[in-house]
Amino acid sequence: MITLCAFANTADDIKVIKQQDREVIERFKSYLNINTVQPNIDYYPAVDFLKKEAKRIGLESDVVEIVKGRPHVIIKWKGRDPSKKTVMLNSHMDVVPADPAKWNSDPFEAFWDLTNNNIYARGSQDMKCVGMQYLEAITNLKAQNFVPERTVYVTFVPEEEVGGHGGGMNDLVKSPHFDKLNVGFGLDEGLASPDEKFEVYYGERVAMWGIIEATGAVGHGSAFIKNTATEKINRVIQQIFNFRSSQEQELALRPNKRTGDVVSINLTSMKAGHTKDCGETYQMNVVPRTAQVGFDIRVTPHVPIKQVDEQVNKWASEEGVSIRWVQRSEEHHVTDLNDEHVKVFLDSLKSANVTFNTGVFPAATDARFLRAKKIPIIGFSPMNLTPVLLHDHNEYLNVDVYLRGITIYENVIKSITK
Ligand SMILES: [Zn+2]
């Protein structure tokens, strides 16, 4: 028997929601209610919630801490053949900060707007939805007496939003705990898509963060001094923006290209000015000896990292100009779309009439650590007809989109665990 609950925001707007779906949504809301905002997160309330969820479904769970206070929750659904490589369904527990003043509701209340059937919460798209959808899909499959051939690990990891280091996925993959999982294929986060087609990611751009510093002549602020640091850094900035425009144009001229297909660069810091004793006040009549800019480059796998490296070195080739890298990767790791597991995954989407684009994730996710270990990983968050609001104000997910995502995962899990 199906019980129906009726909700009304206004007399002429009545939503009827099945009791079973309401329970599913309440569980999603409960996870969203747990504050896991970076930095210095107390993860244990989320860990306790997930352990209880595992128990509800009838699955074993394990908590692994490579770094104290940075727990990974690993939920195991035992397959019929433990000798086979396993499937990893990954999501991260942490979320980015939300400014309540810019939101229409408390970001952790998980406000259910019944007029539009949307749930507003930090993490509703990135990516508490995905973690709960995995668990709901398994709940439904177990109710159908489905038993996977391969073992499935549903992993909830910390510290993704701060780069996956300091006890996050970067450290988990290097630990013996990870080797024991024997992962052969995995899913991790993707992005929402505003239209009907879903987004499937087989790779991501690599980040190169650097600082270019110029040193030049100093002197009185009233003189025409030659070779100043600020003149030199100005030439660097111009070259950076010329390059930035060329990439932006390439994106604009080719409608089939997406952000993940080009190289992006942004100036993220600028510093110059003479200060006494490193004070806060600048000496306004002194031409400073140094000037520097910091930048964030994201290199698409379609462009060799070496090529970008040479480009940046050219910008910093003038006398008195130098470059220092804060963080950079030396290699792209992409998942082969012809890999047998990936083909099964894509076929499972097609058989469920899910249309999709395949592409390169524009930013960084934990998938990069797994791809570096040659494990095929696909980035996929089943959110179509949804504006991309990750890290934005009033992040939300529509309830129907969320529920359809669970059905999609049921189909996907049935296929990829064979
Ligand atoms: Zn995320």
Side-chain angles (χ1 to χ4, degrees):
M1 192 184 79
I2 295 169
T3 319
L4 296 175
C5 283
F7 300 95
N9 267 16
T10 59
D12 56 354
D13 174 63
I14 296 175
K15 301 276 173 207
V16 178
I17 295 152
K18 279 191 273 175
Q19 177 61 26
Q20 195 187 344
D21 288 346
R22 187 179 158 78
E23 283 166 16
V24 168
I25 298 304
E26 288 301 336
R27 284 195 286 267
F28 180 33
K29 280 169 53 103
S30 299
Y31 188 30
L32 292 167
N33 288 153
I34 303 168
N35 184 325
T36 51
V37 174
Q38 285 292 353
N40 305 321
I41 300 168
D42 172 9
Y43 281 104
Y44 298 106
V47 169
D48 288 344
F49 171 81
L50 293 167
K51 278 162 71 180
K52 272 187 206 137
E53 274 297 288
K55 215 168 178 184
R56 173 185 66 80
I57 309 167
L59 299 176
E60 298 166 32
S61 64
D62 199 6
V63 179
V64 169
E65 287 185 47
I66 319 282
V67 170
K68 185 95 193 88
R70 302 285 176 261
H72 297 249
V73 181
I74 301 174
I75 297 176
K76 182 179 183 180
W77 189 14
K78 208 172 160 200
R80 276 197 303 256
D81 187 349
S83 69
K84 281 194 168 173
K85 289 258 186 191
T86 68
V87 169
M88 183 181 197
L89 304 175
N90 185 59
S91 67
H92 60 81
M93 292 182 280
D94 55 332
V95 298
V96 295
D99 179 0
K102 301 277 169 49
W103 282 59
N104 298 329
S105 56
D106 178 341
F108 295 94
E109 179 199 336
F111 172 64
W112 187 350
D113 173 5
L114 294 165
T115 308
N116 301 308
N117 213 14
N118 295 330
I119 291 178
Y120 290 83
R122 175 57 86 226
S124 56
Q125 290 193 13
D126 181 17
M127 62 171 308
K128 286 178 169 166
C129 51
V130 172
M132 287 308 290
Q133 283 168 315
Y134 294 147
L135 295 181
E136 298 294 352
I138 293 173
T139 304
N140 295 346
L141 290 173
K142 282 189 73 132
Q144 296 159 30
N145 295 319
F146 174 82
V147 182
E149 183 80 15
R150 295 169 192 276
T151 294
V152 177
Y153 289 106
V154 191
T155 49
F156 293 83
V157 305
E159 305 299 90
E160 193 276 343
E161 295 292 3
V162 288
H165 301 273
M169 184 63 95
N170 174 57
D171 302 286
L172 179 69
V173 298
K174 289 174 185 158
S175 74
H177 300 285
F178 184 78
D179 295 334
K180 272 190 243 157
L181 302 183
N182 191 25
V183 178
F185 175 69
L187 295 178
D188 196 15
E189 68 187 306
L191 285 179
S193 144
D195 55 35
E196 178 62 36
K197 280 189 174 178
F198 291 77
E199 299 293 333
V200 168
Y201 298 101
Y202 60 87
E204 57 190 52
R205 299 193 297 178
V206 305
M208 294 172 76
W209 298 345
I211 289 171
I212 295 181
E213 184 171 88
T215 308
V218 297
H220 198 280
S222 65
F224 286 107
I225 296 160
K226 301 258 183 270
N227 278 322
T228 63
T230 47
E231 270 180 290
K232 290 178 193 176
I233 212 72
N234 181 42
R235 284 192 280 275
V236 171
I237 291 171
Q238 287 196 356
Q239 292 181 86
I240 288 177
F241 277 98
N242 288 345
F243 177 73
R244 190 180 190 273
S245 299
S246 73
Q247 294 297 298
E248 207 178 359
Q249 253 176 14
E250 183 151 347
L251 198 58
L253 291 174
R254 301 182 195 196
N256 58 334
K257 282 207 172 182
R258 284 148 195 281
T259 313
D261 295 322
V262 298
V263 181
S264 66
I265 180 162
N266 278 293
L267 282 193
T268 50
S269 73
M270 298 174 84
K271 202 165 107 186
H274 182 83
T275 57
K276 268 187 203 156
D277 306 325
C278 301
E280 298 263 310
T281 313
Y282 291 105
Q283 187 72 43
M284 296 304 288
N285 59 354
V286 175
V287 172
R289 195 177 70 84
T290 61
Q292 58 166 243
V293 288
F295 53 85
D296 177 345
I297 304 182
R298 302 295 169 120
V299 187
T300 175
H302 310 316
V303 172
I305 292 171
K306 195 168 168 275
Q307 191 179 316
V308 176
D309 191 41
E310 284 167 6
Q311 177 82 74
V312 177
N313 283 334
K314 255 188 219 160
W315 299 338
S317 61
E318 194 178 335
E319 204 194 322
V321 179
S322 61
I323 176 158
R324 176 166 59 86
W325 290 102
V326 177
Q327 181 196 304
R328 55 174 287 175
S329 304
E330 303 303 328
E331 228 182 318
H332 277 114
H333 300 283
V334 294
T335 296
D336 183 359
L337 287 175
N338 289 315
D339 173 273
E340 55 173 314
H341 301 284
V342 177
K343 280 206 265 187
V344 169
F345 168 77
L346 297 176
D347 285 344
S348 75
L349 293 184
K350 287 176 199 156
S351 71
N353 292 323
V354 172
T355 55
F356 57 87
N357 298 306
T358 53
V360 175
F361 194 88
T365 70
D366 276 341
R368 70 190 189 280
F369 303 117
L370 297 141
R371 289 196 186 108
K373 290 186 75 97
K374 310 277 180 244
I375 297 168
I377 299 288
I378 289 293
F380 176 68
S381 297
M383 300 182 289
N384 68 339
L385 306 169
T386 303
V388 180
L389 290 170
L390 78 167
H391 301 197
D392 207 340
H393 309 312
N394 296 310
E395 177 182 352
Y396 74 82
L397 187 59
N398 181 269
V399 164
D400 296 328
V401 173
Y402 179 75
L403 295 174
R404 186 179 174 211
I406 294 170
T407 314
I408 292 172
Y409 277 130
E410 280 176 46
N411 216 45
V412 164
I413 294 169
K414 267 189 200 166
S415 302
I416 61 177
T417 56
K418 272 181 193 153

